[in-house]
Amino acid sequence: MTKTPLTVIGLGPMGRAMSAAFLRAGHPVTVWNRTPAKASGLVEQGAVLAATPAEALAAGDLIVLSLTDFDVMYTIIEPATAALAGKTVVNLSSDTPDRAREAAAWAAGHGAGYLSGAMMASPDLVATEAASAFYSGPRELFDEHAATLSLIAAPDYRGEDPGLGPLYYQLVINIFWTTMLAHVQTIAIARANGISATDLLPYALSATESNPHFFPQMAAQADAGDYPSDLERLSMGLISVEHVLRTTAEAGVDTTLASAVAEVFRRGVDAGLGEKGFTSLVETLGAKS
Ligand code: NDP
């Protein structure tokens, strides 16, 4: 069976890993990158390096974009939009849900189908069982290309709205970065007290590993809009995070994060949620002023 000709635009670590996976599976792959030297390894594996974005777009039926963000996408593709008609664009570049919706409309305006994508793996895990990717956009278009897309990561279709794939990505990445920053801040407090990150490690691990235990109960409470205090009373939580804030200040460590955490708890208590479980903060955090 003839394999769909693919074009990959953007050859950072992610674009290179995806291109290599498509080549291994026997797809004709045309690539373009602002810095053409990054294509050399792929060309050795059989990829065709296009001279211009327009030439790259013309070569593939499925156009995979792997760029820093959507501004870069418009910079590269806008001068070549005449080549978009009849193509399917799968945009695996990161940006916001609203920008994905705009991009879908922009692509439609140029006669192209559009799937939003978001890779949930680092480049070294592309094409392994550890990789998954969120997609959203027209179901038929996704179904048509799901087998090809599964060569780079297990596809997880989130719905018709083109904003949904990037939204799920941002939801997950928000947990990632916020948790990681809490860990870095904790290392800073430990270090200021003469405790190395390595000595902290077993305790950091056990603190983080206990978090998922709470998640199902938090989800049930948030969805029911009912926050019994059997998890952790918010007023107790406020006292606890204020101790963390003071410990951070005593250590001479930047208090930006600890202050923000205490402020969020304080606002919840001020809103009358003190006797409820701390997941009730979703009500004050989500309240539009
Ligand atoms: P890089 O930032 O390394 O690569 C980005 C690509 O964008 C390169 O091809 C680069 O070209 C191009 N680019 C950037 N600015 C411009 C510009 N002004 N004009 C033209 N081209 C430009 O990113 P990655 O490969 O790591 O990631 C690609 C996408 O995948 C990103 O959206 C990222 O958020 C997402 N992603 C990455 C993950 C990772 O672990 N790396 C994990 C999950 C998602 P050039 O080579 O010439 O600089």
Side-chain angles (χ1 to χ4, degrees), residues 14 18 92 117-122 126-127 131-135 152-153 169:
M14 189 57 86
M18 296 191 302
L92 284 146
M119 182 64 76
M120 294 298 298
S122 51
V126 164
S132 63
F134 293 125
Y135 291 98
I152 50 172
Y169 178 79

Side-chain angles (χ1 to χ4, degrees), residues 46-101:
V48 173
L49 174 61
T52 63
E55 193 181 304
L57 291 174
D61 290 343
L62 190 64
I63 313 295
V64 176
L65 304 180
S66 180
L67 299 160
T68 305
D69 58 26
F70 285 25
D71 284 339
V72 173
M73 171 186 74
Y74 290 120
T75 302
I76 293 170
I77 310 289
E78 196 61 64
T81 48
L84 278 177
K87 309 288 182 179
T88 296
V89 174
V90 182
N91 193 355
L92 284 146
S93 316
S94 295
D95 219 310
T96 69
D98 276 355
R99 295 213 81 196
R101 294 179 186 113

